[in-house]
Amino acid sequence: MRSDIVKEGIDRVAHRALLKSLGVLDEDLGKPFIGIANAYSTIVPGHMHLDKITTAVKEGICSAGGVPFEFGIIGVCDGIAMGHRGMLFSLPSREIVADSIEAMVEAHGFDALVVVASCDKIVPGMLMAMLRLNIPAIAVTGGPMLSERVKGEKVSIKDAFEAAGLYKAGKLSSAELKLYEDFCAPYCGSCQGLYTANTMQILTETLGLSLPYCSTSPCASSRKLRIAKMSGKRVVELAKSNIKPLDFINERSFENAVTMDMMIGGSTNTVLHLPAIAREAGVKLKIDKFDEISRKTPHVVLLDPASRDTVADLDESGGVPMIVKKMKEYFSNEMTVSGKRLYEIAENAVIRGRDIIMADKPYRKEGGIAILKGNLARSAVVKASAVREDMLRFEGNAKVFDNEESALKAILNNEISEGEVVVIRYMGAKGAPGMPEMLLPTAAIAGMGLQRVALITDGRFSGATRGPCIGHVVPEAIEGGPIGLLEDGDVISIDISARRLDVKLDEEELRERRERWKPPKKELRGYLARYSKLVSSAEDGAVLL
């Protein structure tokens, strides 16, 4: 066992003494040592229940003859970090999560690993660590938040973000605004819709790195605790059999994940996270693969923010296994951490509530995410599933902002008109740095009732974003990309169906502007300074090189 390095031999007397100070018994020294990376905290709603889930994992480990050792992992709550300096640390925290798990596992010689988390960046960072370490491992995801109702309709955190714009536009009273504040995030768990957190949990299950139904079973359910306990038992079996993630995770596993992403209309952040995770498995997942799969994959599930249905509704429809069962021909029958293949799991899927998986009548013939190219971007990403049909092709004059704050102020002060394109630049992985999410501006546009306004950025978007919002523009502005050369009034053309993003300027005009352009300077210290120097472009997953 790997753990023998810390517990076997005469020269490990002090090591054993330290282990016994933790309560380890003599009889435990021959058992597998299982590390548990737990992202529990009292600042992230998606993580505030992970202590209970981790307790269930530990019970499963002990019952199967393993010894659990729990350690903490950081987690940034994007919702609380949104719209201020804190968002600069969100995406970069993914690398901290991966690196810290690697350090803890290698330093203490664990035989196997369980990762427990719910939210975006934390789940991807944990999966990166699992594949990088390649020891027996399993993921336990915390599950979605349940919804309450306001004015008779189910609400989610998206509605709270948009409520500010509605209030500013005079469409909500202060009393109504308070209702959204009080009831849009009423429970533990990842925010209700198909935002990045729940998207990544679903893709974790599709990859085969968590047990069936782990991703969609609600956070506070006893079912979730049973899955956690079964995961604890399973990881001990994996340790005893020395079954490692890279024994069954391969390029086809990642293609399955991208396929699922397209079918459900998941968050655009997956275009950052899946390539970063794949890289740890030695798989090159190029951005063009997303568009290739999107072109041939129907969009069959419509969840919040594109509808009022939530991930809990998908769970009642049979979750990931039912999607695979109904759309079997689109998926490769890969092995999973459960010891069962994808098709075998799908055979037993059942529908317990409304069936919201529209296999026979897809919402669109193509998938939920599109990759755009043109003279404005070598690549850019849009959540096509959240764009109205009449906005798939759009042309408008640019209103250019060099930071999120000035753009948000202009939107809320009625300085943006129908038919315009809001451009927020210097928000990329290097430029911000950290590629902050632009949920506040997009939510404000929706809340203000602006129906025909697009937004383009070299930053990124929350999965709660809806509308013609195009992000991940590469090259980013700080590196001299065309988005950094735009001026107010430039005509921007968007054609999502044709996968085009262009500015109506000739090459000579762009060349002249490039000669005049000077990058802004930012004084950086600490982690962000190191991150900005080492991070790759968004189309490569914004990984540290």
Side-chain angles (χ1 to χ4, degrees):
M1 289 189 290
R2 288 179 89 249
S3 59
D4 287 349
I5 197 170
V6 300
K7 62 187 182 185
E8 288 291 319
I10 298 299
D11 58 347
R12 294 297 186 260
V13 171
H15 299 64
R16 291 192 293 274
L18 290 168
L19 289 168
K20 288 181 177 180
S21 76
L22 299 169
V24 174
L25 304 177
D26 284 328
E27 64 198 62
D28 293 331
L29 293 173
K31 299 176 181 178
F33 279 13
I34 314 295
I36 306 175
N38 181 10
Y40 165 77
S41 74
T42 58
I43 186 59
V44 184
H47 291 172
M48 66 180 182
H49 64 303
L50 297 186
D51 54 340
K52 296 179 178 63
I53 288 177
T54 300
T55 295
V57 170
K58 289 189 284 190
E59 290 171 353
I61 290 171
C62 291
S63 70
V67 184
F69 295 91
E70 178 185 351
F71 57 92
I73 294 296
I74 68 163
V76 172
C77 178
D78 275 10
I80 296 173
M82 197 74 65
H84 58 87
R85 176 175 168 79
M87 182 48 68
L88 299 179
F89 291 86
S90 173
L91 181 60
S93 73
R94 184 188 70 185
E95 317 307 309
I96 296 175
V97 169
D99 292 350
S100 59
I101 293 174
E102 178 189 13
M104 290 295 289
V105 169
E106 296 289 15
H108 300 100
F110 294 128
D111 296 301
L113 173 68
V114 183
V115 298
V116 184
S118 295
C119 295
D120 44 347
K121 282 91 47 209
I122 301 94
V123 170
M126 288 184 163
L127 299 188
M128 289 167 67
M130 285 175 65
L131 297 181
R132 182 187 302 173
L133 290 161
N134 196 33
I135 63 172
I138 195 167
V140 180
T141 53
M145 183 184 289
L146 298 174
S147 293
E148 294 278 17
R149 294 180 185 269
V150 173
K151 296 183 177 180
E153 286 192 329
K154 282 191 299 185
V155 291
S156 69
I157 195 64
K158 164 185 64 67
D159 298 288
F161 276 104
E162 293 183 1
L166 290 167
Y167 177 77
K168 190 77 174 178
K171 298 176 183 178
L172 283 183
S173 68
S174 57
E176 291 171 321
L177 184 67
K178 184 68 160 54
L179 281 175
Y180 285 98
E181 182 178 318
D182 290 346
F183 291 99
C184 281
Y187 300 102
C188 62
S190 298
C191 298
Q192 306 93 326
L194 195 61
Y195 317 146
T196 309
N198 282 319
T199 302
M200 284 309 307
Q201 292 189 57
I202 288 170
L203 300 192
T204 299
E205 183 177 333
T206 307
L207 278 168
L209 291 172
S210 63
L211 293 185
Y213 304 102
C214 189
S215 64
T216 57
S217 57
C219 67
S221 66
S222 297
R223 180 164 162 244
K224 174 66 71 180
L225 295 178
R226 294 197 299 273
I227 292 171
K229 187 177 290 187
M230 288 189 292
S231 298
K233 294 180 69 173
R234 179 59 182 159
V235 79
V236 176
E237 295 170 358
L238 296 172
K240 290 179 177 179
S241 302
N242 197 30
I243 298 173
K244 303 179 290 293
L246 295 187
D247 292 337
F248 58 91
I249 294 294
N250 54 46
E251 185 175 359
R252 294 182 299 279
S253 306
F254 285 97
E255 290 177 356
N256 280 343
V258 176
T259 298
M260 180 64 73
D261 196 15
M262 298 306 160
M263 284 185 180
I264 63 178
S267 165
T268 52
N269 282 317
T270 58
V271 182
L272 292 171
H273 295 321
L274 282 177
I277 298 164
R279 182 172 180 261
E280 301 291 353
V283 173
K284 179 68 173 178
L285 186 59
K286 295 183 178 180
I287 194 169
D288 288 342
K289 177 62 72 172
F290 287 83
D291 207 62
E292 175 190 325
I293 292 176
S294 181
R295 288 289 198 181
K296 60 185 181 184
T297 305
H299 177 212
V300 299
V301 178
L302 199 66
L303 297 179
D304 182 277
S307 79
R308 285 291 175 186
D309 286 327
T310 66
V311 176
D313 295 306
L314 176 60
D315 187 63
E316 292 182 359
S317 293
V320 168
M322 183 56 74
I323 295 175
V324 175
K325 185 175 184 177
K326 287 189 171 192
M327 311 296 290
K328 185 177 177 180
E329 66 271 23
Y330 291 90
F331 292 96
S332 174
N333 190 23
E334 300 309 306
M335 181 59 73
T336 73
V337 74
S338 69
K340 297 179 179 180
R341 291 188 177 273
L342 217 54
Y343 292 178
E344 184 182 356
I345 294 168
E347 285 175 5
N348 298 316
V350 295
I351 298 170
R352 299 180 290 107
R354 287 186 305 118
D355 185 1
I356 65 171
I357 303 168
M358 307 301 288
D360 296 330
K361 295 181 179 179
Y363 293 100
R364 286 182 179 161
K365 294 180 180 179
E366 295 185 353
I369 291 175
I371 308 300
L372 310 185
K373 299 184 179 185
N375 73 344
L376 191 48
R378 186 168 67 237
S379 66
V381 183
V382 62
K383 189 173 183 175
S385 60
V387 180
R388 298 195 324 267
E389 288 287 339
D390 64 327
M391 288 295 287
L392 291 174
R393 295 182 66 185
F394 181 73
E395 193 171 282
N397 295 332
K399 289 291 277 294
V400 182
F401 302 91
D402 288 348
N403 55 70
E404 180 187 7
E405 292 79 6
S406 58
L408 182 61
K409 182 178 179 181
I411 295 165
L412 293 177
N413 287 343
N414 290 303
E415 296 171 15
I416 304 300
S417 302
E418 296 283 16
E420 292 185 321
V421 179
V422 175
V423 177
I424 309 178
R425 61 192 181 189
Y426 299 110
M427 294 289 105
K430 289 183 179 293
M435 212 175 173
E437 292 181 346
M438 301 287 109
L439 179 57
L440 287 183
T442 61
I445 287 170
M448 294 292 285
L450 295 166
Q451 297 292 312
R452 295 190 60 76
V453 170
L455 194 151
I456 298 173
T457 181
D458 49 4
R460 60 194 180 100
F461 295 111
S462 163
T465 293
R466 57 191 174 109
C469 301
I470 299 165
H472 304 211
V473 170
V474 174
E476 60 175 284
I478 198 69
E479 295 193 310
I483 190 173
L485 309 179
L486 295 178
E487 298 175 359
D488 285 347
D490 288 342
V491 178
I492 294 176
S493 174
I494 301 167
D495 190 337
I496 294 173
S497 298
R499 304 300 201 261
R500 295 292 303 182
L501 178 62
D502 296 285
V503 57
K504 292 195 171 181
L505 295 172
D506 58 37
E507 284 303 313
E508 184 177 352
E509 174 65 22
L510 286 171
R511 180 181 57 77
E512 290 177 359
R513 291 188 186 185
R514 188 171 286 109
E515 289 175 355
R516 299 193 302 266
W517 173 80
K518 292 182 180 180
K521 292 183 179 180
K522 290 188 177 181
E523 295 296 327
L524 298 173
R525 299 176 59 194
Y527 182 63
L528 290 182
R530 297 193 298 275
Y531 182 87
S532 66
K533 292 178 181 178
L534 298 173
V535 70
S536 71
S537 73
E539 64 185 354
D540 292 322
V543 296
L544 296 185
L545 299 175

